[in-house]
């Protein structure tokens, strides 16, 4: 095993500040959406990704990637969204082995009702507390972190279907 490159005191402080801000911000957004709209942040993100897709529809595998969710977690979330009447899941037209998820009019209305509170919370707790320079740096930092993880995340996603298929009831919706 290679020698561990332990964090310096300054790096430890940066890491903890980042983690604290990330966890607190994410939890705050999730609480706001649950309180005001009755949906967790993960469901909101799925509805947003569907609303931005042509015909408000995406293949389940594409939706999982776009919403930064595992296929199995997405499948469970979509099942809950189906029960709410906010999405429908159906076989893909061109490929009966795959599934697509489509945002219903009711789901779009729920998203439209949730959006103002969500955007206000994001604006107040991110954009209003940082300078333009800090926001630019945050964008660059986010892109750098994502780029550094991309290959490993793609590899892990490629290995998901076997695990996901075992957890499903005869459907490859995940």
């Amino acid at each position: 095993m290679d020698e561990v490159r332990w964090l310096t005191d300054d790096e430890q402080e940066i890491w903890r500040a980042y983690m604290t801000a990330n966890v607190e911000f994410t939890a705050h957004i999730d609480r706001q959406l649950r309180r005001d709209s009755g949906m967790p942040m993960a469901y909101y993100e799925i509805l947003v990704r569907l609303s931005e897709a042509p015909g408000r529809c995406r293949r389940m595998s594409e939706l999982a990637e776009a919403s930064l969710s595992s296929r199995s977690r997405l499948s469970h979330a979509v099942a809950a969204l189906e029960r709410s009447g906010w999405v429908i899941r159906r076989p893909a037209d061109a490929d009966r082995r795959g599934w697509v998820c489509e945002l219903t009019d009711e789901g779009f209305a729920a998203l439209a009702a949730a959006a103002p509170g969500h955007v206000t919370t994001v604006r107040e707790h991110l954009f209003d507390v940082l300078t333009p320079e800090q926001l630019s740096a945050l964008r660059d930092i986010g892109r750098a972190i994502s780029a550094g993880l991309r290959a490993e995340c793609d590899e892990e996603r490629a290995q998901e279907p076997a695990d996901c298929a075992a957890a499903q009831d005869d459907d490859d919706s995940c």
Side-chain angles (χ1 to χ4, degrees):
M1 183 167 140
D2 294 334
E3 174 129 356
V4 175
R5 293 175 45 217
W6 295 105
L7 301 180
T8 66
D9 288 345
D10 193 44
E11 290 169 334
Q12 188 72 260
E13 183 181 347
I14 292 166
W15 168 242
R16 288 185 178 161
Y18 167 78
M19 284 301 297
T20 298
N22 184 46
V23 169
E24 287 178 346
F25 187 65
T26 301
H28 183 72
I29 295 290
D30 188 67
R31 282 191 304 272
Q32 177 275 317
L33 282 165
R34 287 175 188 271
R35 180 187 64 239
D36 297 349
S37 305
M39 74 177 83
M41 187 169 68
Y43 292 9
Y44 182 87
E45 184 63 21
I46 291 166
L47 297 180
V48 165
R49 298 303 178 150
L50 288 170
S51 76
E52 296 170 343
R56 297 184 188 162
C57 186
R58 282 187 180 234
R59 287 185 73 91
M60 291 290 287
S61 57
E62 294 168 0
L63 183 57
E65 188 171 335
S67 62
L68 305 174
S69 181
S70 70
R71 291 179 183 191
S72 59
R73 182 169 293 175
L74 176 73
S75 185
H76 292 290
V78 167
L81 291 168
E82 280 182 302
R83 287 190 295 275
S84 297
W86 294 350
V87 302
I88 57 171
R89 187 172 16 185
R90 58 180 166 73
D93 294 332
D95 177 6
R96 292 286 181 191
R97 294 177 309 139
W99 289 79
V100 295
C101 183
E102 182 177 343
L103 181 64
T104 64
D105 290 341
E106 187 178 343
F108 188 78
L111 176 63
H118 173 69
V119 170
T120 297
T121 300
V122 170
R123 177 161 301 288
E124 289 174 352
H125 298 284
L126 179 67
F127 292 95
D128 291 351
V129 300
L130 298 175
T131 66
E133 295 79 18
Q134 289 171 319
L135 289 169
S136 181
L138 183 61
R139 176 182 45 233
D140 293 344
I141 290 164
R143 288 177 176 166
I145 291 170
S146 292
L149 290 169
R150 189 160 295 121
E152 287 180 43
C153 290
D154 288 347
E155 185 178 315
E156 289 171 4
R157 269 195 293 276
Q159 295 174 8
E160 261 183 10
D163 296 338
C164 183
Q168 299 304 309
D169 300 326
D170 296 328
D171 89 27
D172 76 353
S173 60
C174 62

